[in-house]
């Protein structure tokens, strides 16, 4: 527990994280409780499987890049949104690189599937 407290106390505190949290809360209030897409949900019963739950799901760790791409997007009836926009300094620079890399993988995957 002490290690967690020290880690969190010394973690970068940046405005983009607060802005992202505020934007996500506003969208949650506006949209209410929406179901996740069926294809990312487990299908423990035959009925759920027949209804499309889990259909076409691609496990991240089973892919070459360790990233399935557009698998997990947004709740049903909701467009994909990017809430977090890290700045290009400090540790956020590394986070931005990772997010940009995933965006490129997602675009490539969508182009392959089209």
């Amino acid at each position: 527990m002490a290690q967690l407290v020290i880690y969190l106390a010394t973690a970068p505190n940046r405005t983009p994280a607060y802005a992202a949290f505020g934007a996500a809360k506003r969208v949650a209030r506006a949209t209410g409780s929406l179901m996740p897409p069926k294809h990312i949900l487990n299908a423990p019963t035959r009925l759920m499987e027949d209804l499309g739950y889990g259909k076409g799901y691609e496990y991240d760790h089973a892919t070459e890049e360790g990233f399935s791409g557009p698998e997990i997007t947004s709740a049903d009836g909701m467009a994909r949104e990017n809430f977090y926009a890290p700045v290009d300094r400090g540790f956020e620079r590394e986070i931005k690189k990772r997010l940009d890399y995933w965006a490129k993988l997602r675009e490539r995957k969508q182009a392959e599937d089209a």
Side-chain angles (χ1 to χ4, degrees):
M1 194 65 124
Q3 290 174 343
L4 173 64
V5 170
I6 292 167
Y7 177 80
L8 291 176
T10 59
N13 242 341
R14 302 278 190 236
T15 303
Y18 294 115
F21 184 59
K25 286 194 312 187
R26 283 190 295 280
V27 169
R29 278 191 211 105
T31 60
S33 295
L34 299 173
M35 286 292 295
K38 286 182 185 177
H39 70 276
I40 66 167
L41 297 174
N42 189 24
T45 67
R46 179 68 174 199
L47 173 62
M48 292 174 84
E49 189 176 317
D50 291 344
L51 291 173
Y53 285 69
K55 183 176 183 173
Y57 178 76
E58 191 174 4
Y59 183 59
D60 281 345
H61 302 288
T63 66
E64 186 176 327
E65 295 94 358
F67 183 74
S68 61
E71 273 301 309
I72 300 175
T73 54
S74 299
D76 282 344
M78 192 177 149
R80 179 181 185 81
E81 292 194 42
N82 290 321
F83 298 110
Y84 179 58
V87 295
D88 198 22
R89 67 175 177 269
F91 185 67
E92 283 187 89
R93 180 181 300 121
E94 298 305 313
I95 295 171
K96 184 175 182 340
K97 286 179 191 175
R98 186 178 303 171
L99 293 173
D100 290 346
Y101 173 70
W102 288 337
K104 286 178 187 172
L105 289 176
R106 187 177 299 110
E107 287 172 14
R108 189 176 78 209
K109 177 82 169 159
Q110 286 173 329
E112 289 171 1
D113 292 346

